[in-house]
């Protein structure tokens, strides 16, 4: 008569083995979640070894869920797209499914490597560059927002070191002399603004995306110095809306408003020089589009 349950000794050994296997799989998932190991490496290890190894016995669904940034809903969608059944284990995939999953993981990793990039956000005066970059600072903490140096005085509520480094002319001259600025320009024929280089280099080295919110002259200088930078032009929904926003801000006198509108006309004419254009209908939506340009592999060059 067939025995339905293993004898007690076997059962204890099987239970211990099951616990060890679960621990092994948990360690693999943690390594992927903390980016110490890539999901592709896990899959390749599974396919080179035994299906009973921690990598081989891991479900595809669990492997994908442990990749940072992919939630369960997306995992379900991805598995449907790849044609892999919900219950499949990595080591149990057939040749064709291994190739499909391997290609998908490799493409995702290649995209991840392009993630760290320098994005320059420019656009006409009062279009809302500052509001969009503030929104990004508050809602996308992974993005490093460059803090410019300027010789203009702080406006009410502006904090030194957060919105700008407020410096005098002598200090700005020193920064130029010591080559501390990636670019600098005199904006609206009045004050000088520049991008400090050391914090930007440090963030890029750490693999973070960096956002510069600067004027058109600065954008051109960055393009010359760092051709890999993605230049994004922020557009107002309409010209009238731009005028309304500028007047509505109430921080400039009439002569200054006139000067800034003249600058804005010239700046709007330059939008074709940019890699991408984003219309600022809604701050959160515009911010999301800018951040997406940092993470998309090539769309930064084609989006308009
Ligand atoms: P605001 O005085 O209104 O803060 O800024 C005036 C202009 O200076 C804006 O168009 C802003 O994008 C630009 N700006 C701010 N920081 C920099 C910078 O570091 N370099 C350059 N070239 N322009 C900047």
């Amino acid at each position: 008569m067939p025995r339905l349950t293993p004898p007690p000794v076997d059962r204890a050994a099987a239970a211990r083995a099951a616990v060890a296997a679960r621990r092994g799989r948990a360690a693999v998932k943690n390594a992927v979640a903390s980016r110490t190991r890539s999901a592709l490496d896990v899959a390749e290890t599974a396919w080179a070894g035994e299906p009973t190894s921690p990598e081989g016995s891991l479900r595809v669904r669990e492997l994908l869920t442990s990749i940072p940034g992919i939630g369960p809903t997306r995992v379900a969608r991805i598995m449907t797209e790849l044609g892999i059944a919900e219950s499949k284990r990595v080591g149990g995939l057939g040749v064709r499914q291994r190739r499909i999953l391997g290609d998908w993981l490799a493409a995702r990793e290649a995209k991840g490597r392009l993630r760290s990039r320098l994005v320059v956000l420019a656009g006409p005066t009062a279009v809302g560059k500052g509001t969009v970059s503030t929104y990004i600072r508050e809602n996308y903490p992974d993005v490093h927002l460059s803090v410019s140096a300027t010789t203009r005085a702080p406006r009410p509520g502006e904090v030194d070191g957060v919105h700008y480094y407020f410096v005098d002319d002598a200090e700005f001259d020193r920064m130029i002399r010591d080559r501390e600025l990636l670019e600098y320009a005199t904006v609206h024929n009045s004050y000088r603004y520049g991008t400090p280089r050391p914090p930007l280099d440090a963030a890029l080295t750490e693999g973070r995306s960096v956002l510069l919110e600067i004027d058109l002259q600065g954008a051109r200088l960055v393009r010359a110095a760092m051709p890999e930078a993605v230049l994004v032009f922020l557009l107002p929904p309409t010209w009238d809306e731009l005028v309304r926003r500028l007047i509505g801000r109430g921080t400039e006198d009439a002569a200054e408003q006139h000067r800034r509108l003249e600058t804005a006309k010239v700046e709007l004419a330059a939008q074709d020089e940019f890699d991408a254009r984003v219309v600022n209908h809604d701050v959160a939506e515009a911010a999301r589009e800018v951040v997406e340009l940092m993470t998309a592999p090539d769309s930064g060059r084609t989006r308009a």
Side-chain angles (χ1 to χ4, degrees), residues 121-126 129-130 146-150 152-153 155 158 163-164 166 172 181 183-188 190-196 212-222 249 251-252 256 260 263 267:
L121 182 65
T125 184
K129 281 174 291 175
S146 164
V147 178
S148 298
T150 181
R152 85 150 161 77
R155 294 192 186 115
E158 283 183 336
H163 299 93
Y164 283 105
F166 295 99
F172 203 92
L181 299 177
E183 59 75 38
Y184 60 92
T186 301
V187 181
H188 306 310
S190 37
Y191 301 107
R192 289 187 291 171
Y193 296 79
T195 305
L212 306 186
E213 185 247 296
I214 59 178
D215 86 322
L216 180 63
Q217 311 165 72
R220 290 183 177 133
L221 291 167
V222 171
R249 190 155 77 178
T251 45
E252 284 83 24
E256 179 64 17
R260 288 185 175 221
T263 309
E267 287 182 329

Side-chain angles (χ1 to χ4, degrees), residues 99-162:
R99 189 175 44 73
I100 290 172
L101 180 62
D103 286 352
W104 188 87
L105 291 172
R108 191 179 156 84
E109 277 177 26
K111 182 172 156 181
R113 276 194 294 279
L114 286 169
R115 276 197 157 177
S116 155
R117 58 197 331 182
L118 184 62
V119 171
V120 177
L121 182 65
T125 184
V127 71
K129 281 174 291 175
T131 322
V132 170
S133 55
T134 300
Y135 188 92
I136 292 174
R137 178 174 43 224
E138 287 168 358
N139 293 279
Y140 298 92
D142 288 348
V143 176
H144 174 85
L145 202 69
S146 164
V147 178
S148 298
T150 181
T151 57
R152 85 150 161 77
R155 294 192 186 115
E158 283 183 336
V159 179
D160 187 39
V162 176

